[in-house]
């Protein structure tokens, strides 16, 4: 069996409990693929990578400092006007969620230890999404 959790683990009230449930529902040799933002991630760098910008990382930092900044950077990174509007809606919702939820961001070594502590064997770990997320492939042995 296989399970994917992409940019969801950090939003869960108890990431350990969620990982324990992932482990429980997978069959022997089942694979879990987990991607989650690293501690200190910068969404602006994902936009920078998307549009292959040559501007310095500092230009793209603090993408969510204000709705105006979000619109400027999203509009620079994306040319499709409908997609820009959808991304601005996502950004607006993310700001609301950030005001009401507790998030769990990890350093790579912390996340690896957590995944192993519930019984998984880690098969690979690497950065993804412009090096702003941690991608782990783990197996239930």
């Amino acid at each position: 069996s296989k399970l994917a959790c992409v940019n969801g683990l950090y939003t869960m009230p108890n990431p350990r409990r969620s990982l324990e449930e992932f482990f429980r529902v997978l069959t022997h040799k089942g694979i879990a693929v987990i991607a989650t933002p690293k501690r200190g991630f910068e969404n602006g760098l994902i936009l920078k990578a998307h549009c292959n910008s040559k501007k310095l990382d500092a230009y793209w930092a603090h993408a969510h400092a204000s709705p105006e900044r979000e619109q400027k950077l999203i509009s620079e990174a994306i040319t499709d006007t409908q997609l820009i509007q959808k991304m601005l809606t996502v950004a607006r919702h993310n700001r609301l969620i950030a005001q009401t939820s507790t998030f769990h961001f990890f350093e790579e070594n912390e996340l690896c230890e957590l995944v192993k502590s519930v019984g998984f064997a880690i098969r690979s770990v690497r950065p993804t999404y412009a090096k702003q997320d941690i991608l782990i492939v783990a197996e239930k042995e």
Side-chain angles (χ1 to χ4, degrees), residues 107-140:
E107 298 292 339
E108 183 179 302
N109 63 330
E110 293 173 312
L111 184 59
C112 287
E113 287 305 314
L114 182 59
V115 169
K116 289 191 291 189
S117 76
V118 301
F120 282 108
I122 295 179
R123 296 296 172 234
S124 67
V125 181
R126 68 179 185 88
T128 189
Y129 297 127
K131 299 181 181 176
Q132 300 307 298
D133 265 32
I134 304 163
L135 176 66
I136 292 182
V137 177
E139 181 178 7
K140 179 177 179 177

Side-chain angles (χ1 to χ4, degrees), residues 56-125:
L56 297 175
D57 287 356
Y59 174 82
W60 294 93
H62 311 293
H64 301 295
S66 70
E68 296 78 20
R69 180 136 180 81
E70 287 171 348
Q71 182 161 2
K72 176 184 176 182
L73 295 180
I74 289 170
S75 296
E76 186 167 335
I78 300 169
T79 56
D80 180 291
T81 55
Q82 287 183 335
L83 185 54
I84 288 171
Q85 291 309 309
K86 289 178 182 178
M87 293 300 294
L88 290 171
T89 299
V90 168
R92 198 167 39 255
H93 286 291
N94 282 342
R95 277 196 312 281
L96 292 172
I97 291 167
Q99 294 171 6
T100 61
S101 299
T102 301
F103 296 112
H104 305 277
F105 300 108
F106 302 94
E107 298 292 339
E108 183 179 302
N109 63 330
E110 293 173 312
L111 184 59
C112 287
E113 287 305 314
L114 182 59
V115 169
K116 289 191 291 189
S117 76
V118 301
F120 282 108
I122 295 179
R123 296 296 172 234
S124 67
V125 181

Side-chain angles (χ1 to χ4, degrees), residues 8-75:
L9 187 66
Y10 78 99
T11 68
M12 295 177 186
N14 187 331
R16 179 184 182 79
R17 200 156 143 204
S18 299
L19 289 168
E20 288 170 344
E21 184 65 8
F22 297 168
F23 188 84
R24 186 189 72 75
V25 300
L26 283 170
T27 59
H28 179 69
K29 297 292 184 187
I31 300 292
V33 178
I34 301 162
T36 192
K38 68 178 186 174
R39 183 173 293 134
F41 74 97
E42 178 54 66
N43 275 337
L45 295 178
I46 297 170
L47 292 170
K48 175 185 178 180
H50 178 75
C51 67
N52 292 318
S53 174
K54 302 299 180 210
K55 293 180 180 176
L56 297 175
D57 287 356
Y59 174 82
W60 294 93
H62 311 293
H64 301 295
S66 70
E68 296 78 20
R69 180 136 180 81
E70 287 171 348
Q71 182 161 2
K72 176 184 176 182
L73 295 180
I74 289 170
S75 296

